mmCIF file of all heavy atoms in Angstrom:
data_model
loop_
_atom_site.group_PDB
_atom_site.id
_atom_site.type_symbol
_atom_site.label_atom_id
_atom_site.label_comp_id
_atom_site.label_asym_id
_atom_site.label_seq_id
_atom_site.Cartn_x
_atom_site.Cartn_y
_atom_site.Cartn_z
ATOM 1 N N ILE A 1 0.870 -1.176 0.000
ATOM 2 C CA ILE A 1 0.000 0.000 0.000
ATOM 3 C C ILE A 1 0.904 1.222 0.000
ATOM 4 O O ILE A 1 1.644 1.462 0.965
ATOM 5 C CB ILE A 1 -0.930 0.009 1.224
ATOM 6 C CG1 ILE A 1 -1.777 -1.263 1.254
ATOM 7 C CG2 ILE A 1 -1.811 1.246 1.218
ATOM 8 C CD1 ILE A 1 -2.589 -1.427 2.526
ATOM 9 N N SER A 2 0.890 1.971 -1.077
ATOM 10 C CA SER A 2 1.759 3.136 -1.211
ATOM 11 C C SER A 2 1.021 4.392 -0.769
ATOM 12 O O SER A 2 -0.113 4.637 -1.191
ATOM 13 C CB SER A 2 2.224 3.293 -2.658
ATOM 14 O OG SER A 2 2.960 2.156 -3.073
ATOM 15 N N THR A 3 1.669 5.168 0.070
ATOM 16 C CA THR A 3 1.058 6.413 0.552
ATOM 17 C C THR A 3 1.929 7.607 0.171
ATOM 18 O O THR A 3 3.088 7.453 -0.236
ATOM 19 C CB THR A 3 0.872 6.404 2.086
ATOM 20 O OG1 THR A 3 2.131 6.689 2.717
ATOM 21 C CG2 THR A 3 0.338 5.066 2.575
ATOM 22 N N ASP A 4 1.351 8.773 0.344
ATOM 23 C CA ASP A 4 2.077 10.023 0.117
ATOM 24 C C ASP A 4 2.528 10.641 1.437
ATOM 25 O O ASP A 4 2.730 11.850 1.531
ATOM 26 C CB ASP A 4 1.201 10.993 -0.675
ATOM 27 C CG ASP A 4 0.957 10.494 -2.090
ATOM 28 O OD1 ASP A 4 1.867 10.614 -2.922
ATOM 29 O OD2 ASP A 4 -0.127 9.946 -2.355
ATOM 30 N N GLY A 5 2.674 9.778 2.449
ATOM 31 C CA GLY A 5 3.257 10.220 3.698
ATOM 32 C C GLY A 5 2.255 10.728 4.707
ATOM 33 O O GLY A 5 1.045 10.487 4.615
ATOM 34 N N VAL A 6 2.773 11.454 5.681
ATOM 35 C CA VAL A 6 1.983 11.973 6.798
ATOM 36 C C VAL A 6 1.643 13.429 6.534
ATOM 37 O O VAL A 6 2.491 14.205 6.074
ATOM 38 C CB VAL A 6 2.781 11.838 8.114
ATOM 39 C CG1 VAL A 6 2.008 12.430 9.280
ATOM 40 C CG2 VAL A 6 3.126 10.380 8.376
ATOM 41 N N LEU A 7 0.420 13.819 6.819
ATOM 42 C CA LEU A 7 -0.013 15.204 6.634
ATOM 43 C C LEU A 7 0.338 16.055 7.846
ATOM 44 O O LEU A 7 0.244 15.605 8.995
ATOM 45 C CB LEU A 7 -1.519 15.270 6.400
ATOM 46 C CG LEU A 7 -2.047 14.727 5.069
ATOM 47 C CD1 LEU A 7 -3.567 14.847 5.018
ATOM 48 C CD2 LEU A 7 -1.418 15.448 3.882
ATOM 49 N N GLU A 8 0.732 17.285 7.576
ATOM 50 C CA GLU A 8 0.877 18.261 8.649
ATOM 51 C C GLU A 8 -0.512 18.708 9.089
ATOM 52 O O GLU A 8 -1.501 18.553 8.348
ATOM 53 C CB GLU A 8 1.683 19.463 8.158
ATOM 54 C CG GLU A 8 3.085 19.142 7.672
ATOM 55 C CD GLU A 8 3.996 18.690 8.792
ATOM 56 O OE1 GLU A 8 3.706 19.021 9.969
ATOM 57 O OE2 GLU A 8 4.991 17.999 8.509
ATOM 58 N N ALA A 9 -0.593 19.294 10.282
ATOM 59 C CA ALA A 9 -1.894 19.702 10.825
ATOM 60 C C ALA A 9 -2.628 20.644 9.878
ATOM 61 O O ALA A 9 -3.851 20.532 9.680
ATOM 62 C CB ALA A 9 -1.700 20.352 12.197
ATOM 63 N N ASN A 10 -1.902 21.584 9.256
ATOM 64 C CA ASN A 10 -2.566 22.557 8.382
ATOM 65 C C ASN A 10 -2.961 21.968 7.032
ATOM 66 O O ASN A 10 -3.625 22.628 6.233
ATOM 67 C CB ASN A 10 -1.665 23.778 8.174
ATOM 68 C CG ASN A 10 -0.399 23.443 7.397
ATOM 69 O OD1 ASN A 10 0.068 22.308 7.418
ATOM 70 N ND2 ASN A 10 0.156 24.433 6.721
ATOM 71 N N GLU A 11 -2.548 20.710 6.763
ATOM 72 C CA GLU A 11 -2.898 20.082 5.493
ATOM 73 C C GLU A 11 -4.184 19.262 5.590
ATOM 74 O O GLU A 11 -4.668 18.767 4.568
ATOM 75 C CB GLU A 11 -1.739 19.215 5.012
ATOM 76 C CG GLU A 11 -0.518 20.056 4.625
ATOM 77 C CD GLU A 11 0.716 19.225 4.331
ATOM 78 O OE1 GLU A 11 0.830 18.092 4.867
ATOM 79 O OE2 GLU A 11 1.591 19.711 3.577
ATOM 80 N N PHE A 12 -4.731 19.114 6.799
ATOM 81 C CA PHE A 12 -6.066 18.534 6.940
ATOM 82 C C PHE A 12 -7.066 19.641 6.621
ATOM 83 O O PHE A 12 -7.676 20.253 7.508
ATOM 84 C CB PHE A 12 -6.278 18.010 8.358
ATOM 85 C CG PHE A 12 -5.550 16.742 8.652
ATOM 86 C CD1 PHE A 12 -4.266 16.764 9.172
ATOM 87 C CD2 PHE A 12 -6.145 15.512 8.403
ATOM 88 C CE1 PHE A 12 -3.590 15.581 9.451
ATOM 89 C CE2 PHE A 12 -5.479 14.319 8.684
ATOM 90 C CZ PHE A 12 -4.192 14.359 9.208
ATOM 91 N N SER A 13 -7.226 19.920 5.351
ATOM 92 C CA SER A 13 -7.927 21.121 4.908
ATOM 93 C C SER A 13 -9.030 20.775 3.919
ATOM 94 O O SER A 13 -8.830 19.964 3.005
ATOM 95 C CB SER A 13 -6.914 22.075 4.255
ATOM 96 O OG SER A 13 -7.513 22.974 3.377
ATOM 97 N N LEU A 14 -10.179 21.420 4.076
ATOM 98 C CA LEU A 14 -11.285 21.241 3.139
ATOM 99 C C LEU A 14 -10.889 21.733 1.756
ATOM 100 O O LEU A 14 -11.240 21.121 0.743
ATOM 101 C CB LEU A 14 -12.525 21.984 3.652
ATOM 102 C CG LEU A 14 -13.819 21.802 2.844
ATOM 103 C CD1 LEU A 14 -14.235 20.341 2.812
ATOM 104 C CD2 LEU A 14 -14.932 22.667 3.448
ATOM 105 N N ASN A 15 -10.126 22.821 1.696
ATOM 106 C CA ASN A 15 -9.709 23.342 0.392
ATOM 107 C C ASN A 15 -8.775 22.367 -0.315
ATOM 108 O O ASN A 15 -8.880 22.169 -1.534
ATOM 109 C CB ASN A 15 -9.014 24.698 0.565
ATOM 110 C CG ASN A 15 -9.993 25.809 0.898
ATOM 111 O OD1 ASN A 15 -11.178 25.722 0.561
ATOM 112 N ND2 ASN A 15 -9.515 26.846 1.568
ATOM 113 N N ILE A 16 -7.862 21.760 0.449
ATOM 114 C CA ILE A 16 -6.965 20.772 -0.167
ATOM 115 C C ILE A 16 -7.769 19.573 -0.643
ATOM 116 O O ILE A 16 -7.533 19.037 -1.738
ATOM 117 C CB ILE A 16 -5.869 20.350 0.829
ATOM 118 C CG1 ILE A 16 -4.891 21.503 1.028
ATOM 119 C CG2 ILE A 16 -5.143 19.097 0.338
ATOM 120 C CD1 ILE A 16 -3.808 21.234 2.054
ATOM 121 N N ALA A 17 -8.738 19.141 0.158
ATOM 122 C CA ALA A 17 -9.588 18.016 -0.256
ATOM 123 C C ALA A 17 -10.310 18.342 -1.554
ATOM 124 O O ALA A 17 -10.433 17.492 -2.448
ATOM 125 C CB ALA A 17 -10.586 17.685 0.842
ATOM 126 N N ARG A 18 -10.791 19.586 -1.673
ATOM 127 C CA ARG A 18 -11.478 19.994 -2.910
ATOM 128 C C ARG A 18 -10.508 19.999 -4.089
ATOM 129 O O ARG A 18 -10.854 19.561 -5.196
ATOM 130 C CB ARG A 18 -12.100 21.381 -2.729
ATOM 131 C CG ARG A 18 -13.398 21.378 -1.930
ATOM 132 C CD ARG A 18 -14.165 22.672 -2.186
ATOM 133 N NE ARG A 18 -15.488 22.646 -1.578
ATOM 134 C CZ ARG A 18 -15.846 23.309 -0.489
ATOM 135 N NH1 ARG A 18 -14.942 24.069 0.137
ATOM 136 N NH2 ARG A 18 -17.065 23.238 -0.011
ATOM 137 N N ASP A 19 -9.305 20.520 -3.878
ATOM 138 C CA ASP A 19 -8.320 20.544 -4.968
ATOM 139 C C ASP A 19 -8.024 19.126 -5.457
ATOM 140 O O ASP A 19 -7.949 18.875 -6.666
ATOM 141 C CB ASP A 19 -7.021 21.193 -4.482
ATOM 142 C CG ASP A 19 -7.146 22.703 -4.316
ATOM 143 O OD1 ASP A 19 -8.110 23.275 -4.847
ATOM 144 O OD2 ASP A 19 -6.278 23.282 -3.629
ATOM 145 N N LEU A 20 -7.862 18.210 -4.530
ATOM 146 C CA LEU A 20 -7.574 16.828 -4.911
ATOM 147 C C LEU A 20 -8.762 16.177 -5.602
ATOM 148 O O LEU A 20 -8.602 15.387 -6.540
ATOM 149 C CB LEU A 20 -7.174 16.018 -3.674
ATOM 150 C CG LEU A 20 -5.873 16.441 -2.972
ATOM 151 C CD1 LEU A 20 -5.644 15.596 -1.720
ATOM 152 C CD2 LEU A 20 -4.685 16.329 -3.918
ATOM 153 N N GLN A 21 -9.964 16.504 -5.145
ATOM 154 C CA GLN A 21 -11.169 15.883 -5.689
ATOM 155 C C GLN A 21 -11.364 16.234 -7.152
ATOM 156 O O GLN A 21 -11.914 15.438 -7.921
ATOM 157 C CB GLN A 21 -12.383 16.341 -4.870
ATOM 158 C CG GLN A 21 -13.703 15.721 -5.305
ATOM 159 C CD GLN A 21 -14.838 16.085 -4.364
ATOM 160 O OE1 GLN A 21 -14.954 15.546 -3.285
ATOM 161 N NE2 GLN A 21 -15.652 17.042 -4.765
ATOM 162 N N HIS A 22 -10.926 17.418 -7.560
ATOM 163 C CA HIS A 22 -11.185 17.852 -8.928
ATOM 164 C C HIS A 22 -10.076 17.454 -9.902
ATOM 165 O O HIS A 22 -10.166 17.754 -11.082
ATOM 166 C CB HIS A 22 -11.419 19.368 -8.967
ATOM 167 C CG HIS A 22 -12.785 19.761 -8.507
ATOM 168 N ND1 HIS A 22 -13.092 20.012 -7.189
ATOM 169 C CD2 HIS A 22 -13.956 19.897 -9.182
ATOM 170 C CE1 HIS A 22 -14.379 20.312 -7.073
ATOM 171 N NE2 HIS A 22 -14.925 20.233 -8.265
ATOM 172 N N GLN A 23 -9.049 16.786 -9.410
ATOM 173 C CA GLN A 23 -8.042 16.236 -10.309
ATOM 174 C C GLN A 23 -8.528 14.881 -10.825
ATOM 175 O O GLN A 23 -9.391 14.246 -10.210
ATOM 176 C CB GLN A 23 -6.710 16.084 -9.562
ATOM 177 C CG GLN A 23 -5.582 15.470 -10.350
ATOM 178 C CD GLN A 23 -5.248 16.203 -11.646
ATOM 179 O OE1 GLN A 23 -5.796 15.865 -12.692
ATOM 180 N NE2 GLN A 23 -4.382 17.188 -11.565
ATOM 181 N N VAL A 24 -8.005 14.472 -11.956
ATOM 182 C CA VAL A 24 -8.347 13.169 -12.517
ATOM 183 C C VAL A 24 -7.377 12.130 -11.954
ATOM 184 O O VAL A 24 -6.175 12.177 -12.217
ATOM 185 C CB VAL A 24 -8.262 13.185 -14.058
ATOM 186 C CG1 VAL A 24 -8.458 11.791 -14.611
ATOM 187 C CG2 VAL A 24 -9.308 14.131 -14.634
ATOM 188 N N TRP A 25 -7.910 11.197 -11.165
ATOM 189 C CA TRP A 25 -7.107 10.109 -10.608
ATOM 190 C C TRP A 25 -7.588 8.780 -11.175
ATOM 191 O O TRP A 25 -8.755 8.638 -11.534
ATOM 192 C CB TRP A 25 -7.207 10.067 -9.082
ATOM 193 C CG TRP A 25 -6.946 11.374 -8.408
ATOM 194 C CD1 TRP A 25 -7.865 12.196 -7.822
ATOM 195 C CD2 TRP A 25 -5.681 12.036 -8.248
ATOM 196 N NE1 TRP A 25 -7.258 13.319 -7.315
ATOM 197 C CE2 TRP A 25 -5.914 13.245 -7.555
ATOM 198 C CE3 TRP A 25 -4.377 11.702 -8.620
ATOM 199 C CZ2 TRP A 25 -4.893 14.123 -7.236
ATOM 200 C CZ3 TRP A 25 -3.351 12.595 -8.300
ATOM 201 C CH2 TRP A 25 -3.616 13.790 -7.616
ATOM 202 N N GLY A 26 -6.710 7.822 -11.210
ATOM 203 C CA GLY A 26 -7.105 6.500 -11.689
ATOM 204 C C GLY A 26 -5.878 5.649 -11.949
ATOM 205 O O GLY A 26 -4.805 5.870 -11.383
ATOM 206 N N GLN A 27 -6.043 4.668 -12.836
ATOM 207 C CA GLN A 27 -4.964 3.735 -13.148
ATOM 208 C C GLN A 27 -3.717 4.483 -13.607
ATOM 209 O O GLN A 27 -3.766 5.297 -14.527
ATOM 210 C CB GLN A 27 -5.423 2.759 -14.236
ATOM 211 C CG GLN A 27 -4.416 1.701 -14.602
ATOM 212 C CD GLN A 27 -4.237 0.677 -13.493
ATOM 213 O OE1 GLN A 27 -5.098 0.496 -12.662
ATOM 214 N NE2 GLN A 27 -3.100 0.007 -13.497
ATOM 215 N N GLY A 28 -2.578 4.222 -12.967
ATOM 216 C CA GLY A 28 -1.331 4.853 -13.362
ATOM 217 C C GLY A 28 -1.174 6.274 -12.874
ATOM 218 O O GLY A 28 -0.117 6.894 -13.085
ATOM 219 N N PHE A 29 -2.194 6.832 -12.249
ATOM 220 C CA PHE A 29 -2.124 8.186 -11.677
ATOM 221 C C PHE A 29 -3.007 8.148 -10.435
ATOM 222 O O PHE A 29 -4.058 8.767 -10.362
ATOM 223 C CB PHE A 29 -2.636 9.221 -12.688
ATOM 224 C CG PHE A 29 -2.134 10.619 -12.438
ATOM 225 C CD1 PHE A 29 -0.828 10.962 -12.737
ATOM 226 C CD2 PHE A 29 -2.961 11.584 -11.906
ATOM 227 C CE1 PHE A 29 -0.362 12.254 -12.512
ATOM 228 C CE2 PHE A 29 -2.510 12.875 -11.677
ATOM 229 C CZ PHE A 29 -1.199 13.208 -11.988
ATOM 230 N N SER A 30 -2.544 7.363 -9.463
ATOM 231 C CA SER A 30 -3.402 6.954 -8.360
ATOM 232 C C SER A 30 -3.765 8.095 -7.423
ATOM 233 O O SER A 30 -2.982 9.025 -7.202
ATOM 234 C CB SER A 30 -2.731 5.824 -7.572
ATOM 235 O OG SER A 30 -1.454 6.227 -7.151
ATOM 236 N N GLU A 31 -4.964 7.974 -6.879
ATOM 237 C CA GLU A 31 -5.449 8.955 -5.916
ATOM 238 C C GLU A 31 -4.505 9.011 -4.723
ATOM 239 O O GLU A 31 -4.051 7.984 -4.231
ATOM 240 C CB GLU A 31 -6.852 8.554 -5.446
ATOM 241 C CG GLU A 31 -7.446 9.481 -4.409
ATOM 242 C CD GLU A 31 -8.750 8.975 -3.837
ATOM 243 O OE1 GLU A 31 -9.068 7.783 -4.054
ATOM 244 O OE2 GLU A 31 -9.449 9.755 -3.170
ATOM 245 N N PRO A 32 -4.199 10.208 -4.214
ATOM 246 C CA PRO A 32 -3.302 10.325 -3.061
ATOM 247 C C PRO A 32 -3.874 9.644 -1.816
ATOM 248 O O PRO A 32 -5.053 9.812 -1.491
ATOM 249 C CB PRO A 32 -3.185 11.832 -2.849
ATOM 250 C CG PRO A 32 -3.546 12.447 -4.152
ATOM 251 C CD PRO A 32 -4.570 11.531 -4.750
ATOM 252 N N LEU A 33 -3.035 8.865 -1.169
ATOM 253 C CA LEU A 33 -3.359 8.257 0.121
ATOM 254 C C LEU A 33 -2.335 8.732 1.143
ATOM 255 O O LEU A 33 -1.152 8.904 0.806
ATOM 256 C CB LEU A 33 -3.321 6.732 0.032
ATOM 257 C CG LEU A 33 -4.334 6.055 -0.888
ATOM 258 C CD1 LEU A 33 -4.084 4.542 -0.909
ATOM 259 C CD2 LEU A 33 -5.755 6.348 -0.445
ATOM 260 N N PHE A 34 -2.790 8.933 2.351
ATOM 261 C CA PHE A 34 -1.916 9.397 3.418
ATOM 262 C C PHE A 34 -1.981 8.404 4.575
ATOM 263 O O PHE A 34 -2.840 7.525 4.608
ATOM 264 C CB PHE A 34 -2.331 10.793 3.865
ATOM 265 C CG PHE A 34 -2.466 11.767 2.720
ATOM 266 C CD1 PHE A 34 -3.717 12.084 2.188
ATOM 267 C CD2 PHE A 34 -1.333 12.321 2.144
ATOM 268 C CE1 PHE A 34 -3.840 12.956 1.118
ATOM 269 C CE2 PHE A 34 -1.448 13.198 1.063
ATOM 270 C CZ PHE A 34 -2.700 13.515 0.552
ATOM 271 N N GLU A 35 -1.063 8.542 5.501
ATOM 272 C CA GLU A 35 -1.050 7.629 6.644
ATOM 273 C C GLU A 35 -0.794 8.404 7.933
ATOM 274 O O GLU A 35 -0.241 9.514 7.913
ATOM 275 C CB GLU A 35 0.005 6.549 6.465
ATOM 276 C CG GLU A 35 1.435 7.063 6.364
ATOM 277 C CD GLU A 35 2.435 5.931 6.215
ATOM 278 O OE1 GLU A 35 2.625 5.200 7.213
ATOM 279 O OE2 GLU A 35 3.016 5.788 5.117
ATOM 280 N N GLY A 36 -1.224 7.820 9.034
ATOM 281 C CA GLY A 36 -0.992 8.464 10.317
ATOM 282 C C GLY A 36 -1.557 7.651 11.459
ATOM 283 O O GLY A 36 -2.325 6.698 11.253
ATOM 284 N N ASP A 37 -1.157 8.022 12.690
ATOM 285 C CA ASP A 37 -1.630 7.358 13.899
ATOM 286 C C ASP A 37 -2.814 8.125 14.477
ATOM 287 O O ASP A 37 -2.771 9.362 14.606
ATOM 288 C CB ASP A 37 -0.499 7.281 14.931
ATOM 289 C CG ASP A 37 0.646 6.391 14.463
ATOM 290 O OD1 ASP A 37 0.344 5.329 13.883
ATOM 291 O OD2 ASP A 37 1.815 6.762 14.668
ATOM 292 N N PHE A 38 -3.861 7.394 14.838
ATOM 293 C CA PHE A 38 -5.078 8.012 15.378
ATOM 294 C C PHE A 38 -5.595 7.202 16.561
ATOM 295 O O PHE A 38 -5.377 5.990 16.657
ATOM 296 C CB PHE A 38 -6.183 8.055 14.308
ATOM 297 C CG PHE A 38 -5.840 8.869 13.095
ATOM 298 C CD1 PHE A 38 -5.241 8.280 11.990
ATOM 299 C CD2 PHE A 38 -6.126 10.236 13.061
ATOM 300 C CE1 PHE A 38 -4.924 9.021 10.864
ATOM 301 C CE2 PHE A 38 -5.807 10.992 11.930
ATOM 302 C CZ PHE A 38 -5.205 10.380 10.839
ATOM 303 N N ARG A 39 -6.306 7.913 17.405
ATOM 304 C CA ARG A 39 -7.074 7.258 18.466
ATOM 305 C C ARG A 39 -8.530 7.254 18.045
ATOM 306 O O ARG A 39 -9.055 8.264 17.577
ATOM 307 C CB ARG A 39 -6.899 7.970 19.802
ATOM 308 C CG ARG A 39 -7.693 7.300 20.923
ATOM 309 C CD ARG A 39 -7.238 7.697 22.302
ATOM 310 N NE ARG A 39 -7.979 6.956 23.323
ATOM 311 C CZ ARG A 39 -7.711 5.724 23.705
ATOM 312 N NH1 ARG A 39 -6.709 5.067 23.149
ATOM 313 N NH2 ARG A 39 -8.419 5.123 24.645
ATOM 314 N N VAL A 40 -9.186 6.106 18.176
ATOM 315 C CA VAL A 40 -10.601 5.981 17.805
ATOM 316 C C VAL A 40 -11.443 6.448 18.994
ATOM 317 O O VAL A 40 -11.476 5.794 20.041
ATOM 318 C CB VAL A 40 -10.944 4.527 17.424
ATOM 319 C CG1 VAL A 40 -12.424 4.404 17.089
ATOM 320 C CG2 VAL A 40 -10.081 4.076 16.242
#
């Protein structure tokens, strides 16, 4: 599972989510995935 790393606090952003959503992702240009530690 390949990720694009850990997000900084200021990168958990609705605007960034919108920017990513409007890009074309798919085979060979995979949607960005991130990783991190969380408490449920």
